[in-house]
Amino acid sequence: MYLKSLSLINYKSFSQADFELDEKINCFVGNNGVGKTNVLDAIYHLAFAKSYFNPITVQNIKHDEAFFVINGEFLKKEQTEKVVVSAKRGAKRVVKRNGKIYDKLSDHIGLLPLVIISPADRDLIIEGSETRRKFLDSVISLENNEYLRKLVQYNKLIQQRNALLKYFQANRTFDRDGLDVYDQQLIPLATYIHKCRKEFLEMFIPIFKKYYQHIAQSEEDVSIYYKSDLNDLDIAQVLENSLQKDLQLQYSSAGTHKDDLYFLLDDHAVKKYGSQGQQKSFLTALKLAQFEFIKEESGTVPILLLDDIFDKLDESRVAQIISMVNDDRFGQLFISDTHPERTEAVVKEIHQSYKIFKL
């Protein structure tokens, strides 16, 4: 699968731009602030119906404009897929596939497998558990629509349960039967979500470790620990044990919506003890493992976006990654960089077709 052409109207910094793209490597180069990352984000937007950097749709419309349109033409398994994402102020975004509007945006997820590696990925290490859960859920959801559907159901039920807990406090009352209505619906959903996450990580972690050793050229032991209330107890017991705390706090304090991933380097937290280089290698390995997992599960080679990759790794490491294009592991690559000469020097070594767009 690859993106043949991209057209932008009023998207972020662009009034209008059109790109005819290379099947293998596309480099967007120029000074900071010229829109390199915005081009990559537009491609991400086509795949996931939202921005990677700013999920508030209206904030991706160019200043003083009323709307934006992103138009992409893909070739997937010898079939053309025309995808258009548009939004205007005061209205919902619209996603069209081959001229037809989706009834549910979730139906679009997985059509265009894509992975982005960006300096913004550092949030996975430094931010709270929600960021890591979103990463986990996004990878699983790409190939498991049932997981996405049940995850949405679960999160809605948690919101409703929290509202009921607040009602109890505000009215100084308690209705166990009313609470049980939500708990009984949560039990099968939480059990399924936990099972899917656990099975995914059993497959994912060995792939991740392989990539870390390849990138870091090191024997350091990296691992990911899955923290979940359901590792030791079933969800019914978890909810029962947390009931008094939930009533006091007025929200659901335990369950799969509190799961987390602990990123470890030689059994120590990467966030606290990993050097900047180790953290960058950790994150890049995480995303390349995501890439390989999606490829294996979907049977389609994802598009890979390398945003400001030289900020994350030195030139030799970047060259190692890009050289993988020479075999069948990678398909189409998009690279953004501030130094045209550096980028061209790396891609010339690969003996693959490429285009360089100077913005």
Side-chain angles (χ1 to χ4, degrees), residues 44 52-53 114-122 124 131 135-136 138-139 204 207-208 211-212 215 224 263 280-295 302-306 309 312 321 330:
Y44 184 93
Y52 184 70
F53 301 99
L114 178 149
V115 173
I116 183 169
I117 300 177
S118 163
D121 298 336
R122 191 162 182 265
L124 285 167
T131 305
F135 169 75
L136 185 61
S138 68
V139 184
F204 182 82
I207 303 170
F208 157 73
Y211 274 112
Y212 183 87
I215 295 164
I224 301 171
F263 296 153
K280 288 177 178 180
S281 294
F282 195 102
L283 290 167
T284 303
L286 205 62
K287 289 304 193 79
L288 290 176
Q290 175 189 2
F291 178 94
E292 186 168 319
F293 177 83
I294 293 169
K295 185 179 103 173
I303 290 171
L304 182 61
L305 310 179
L306 303 177
I309 189 65
K312 296 178 72 67
I321 292 169
F330 288 173

Side-chain angles (χ1 to χ4, degrees), residues 131-353:
T131 305
R132 290 178 287 279
R133 277 196 307 277
K134 281 182 177 178
F135 169 75
L136 185 61
D137 292 337
S138 68
V139 184
I140 300 172
S141 297
L142 277 173
E143 291 310 314
N144 188 339
N145 289 331
E146 181 73 0
Y147 178 84
L148 180 58
R149 187 178 67 80
K150 289 189 173 181
L151 183 68
V152 170
Q153 281 183 288
Y154 176 88
N155 288 333
K156 282 182 179 177
L157 283 167
I158 288 293
Q159 288 178 350
Q160 292 166 348
R161 188 178 190 269
N162 289 347
L164 185 60
L165 291 167
K166 286 185 173 66
Y167 174 84
F168 290 160
Q169 178 73 15
N171 293 275
R172 297 187 178 183
T173 185
F174 176 61
D175 176 8
R176 182 60 192 254
D177 290 340
L179 196 64
D180 280 345
V181 168
Y182 293 109
D183 289 358
Q184 291 306 311
Q185 293 177 77
L186 286 169
I187 287 169
L189 296 171
T191 303
Y192 178 83
I193 290 165
H194 178 259
K195 175 175 171 286
C196 287
R197 287 174 177 173
K198 198 170 179 182
E199 289 175 350
F200 162 73
L201 287 166
E202 285 171 0
M203 292 186 285
F204 182 82
I205 291 171
I207 303 170
F208 157 73
K209 287 186 171 188
K210 176 189 72 175
Y211 274 112
Y212 183 87
Q213 288 172 355
H214 178 79
I215 295 164
Q217 297 289 293
S218 147
E219 294 301 316
E220 294 160 341
D221 181 39
V222 289
S223 57
I224 301 171
Y225 172 71
Y226 175 36
K227 176 187 172 293
S228 175
D229 295 319
L230 275 68
N231 285 345
D232 302 312
L233 297 171
D234 64 48
I235 183 63
Q237 191 62 57
V238 167
L239 292 170
E240 181 64 33
N241 291 352
S242 66
L243 177 58
Q244 292 306 314
K245 186 178 180 182
D246 291 355
L247 289 169
Q248 185 178 4
L249 296 173
Q250 302 171 55
Y251 65 82
S252 306
S253 63
T256 51
H257 60 291
K258 295 294 183 180
D259 287 357
D260 200 357
L261 298 176
Y262 289 176
F263 296 153
L264 303 172
L265 179 69
D266 293 329
D267 291 327
H268 297 292
V270 168
K271 179 179 180 178
K272 288 185 178 179
Y273 297 100
S275 67
Q276 193 174 30
Q278 287 168 327
Q279 290 186 7
K280 288 177 178 180
S281 294
F282 195 102
L283 290 167
T284 303
L286 205 62
K287 289 304 193 79
L288 290 176
Q290 175 189 2
F291 178 94
E292 186 168 319
F293 177 83
I294 293 169
K295 185 179 103 173
E296 292 302 318
E297 291 296 307
S298 69
T300 300
V301 181
I303 290 171
L304 182 61
L305 310 179
L306 303 177
D307 177 36
D308 204 6
I309 189 65
F310 290 96
D311 176 72
K312 296 178 72 67
L313 301 164
D314 59 42
E315 288 185 40
S316 64
R317 296 286 184 266
V318 175
Q320 275 186 317
I321 292 169
I322 298 174
S323 69
M324 295 180 197
V325 179
N326 274 334
D327 58 32
D328 292 330
R329 269 184 282 183
F330 288 173
Q332 191 179 32
L333 260 73
F334 290 84
I335 301 167
S336 70
D337 186 26
T338 51
H339 296 82
E341 300 81 7
R342 176 172 63 185
T343 305
E344 189 157 17
V346 170
V347 298
K348 270 185 175 177
E349 294 293 316
I350 298 164
H351 311 299
Q352 289 282 359
S353 60

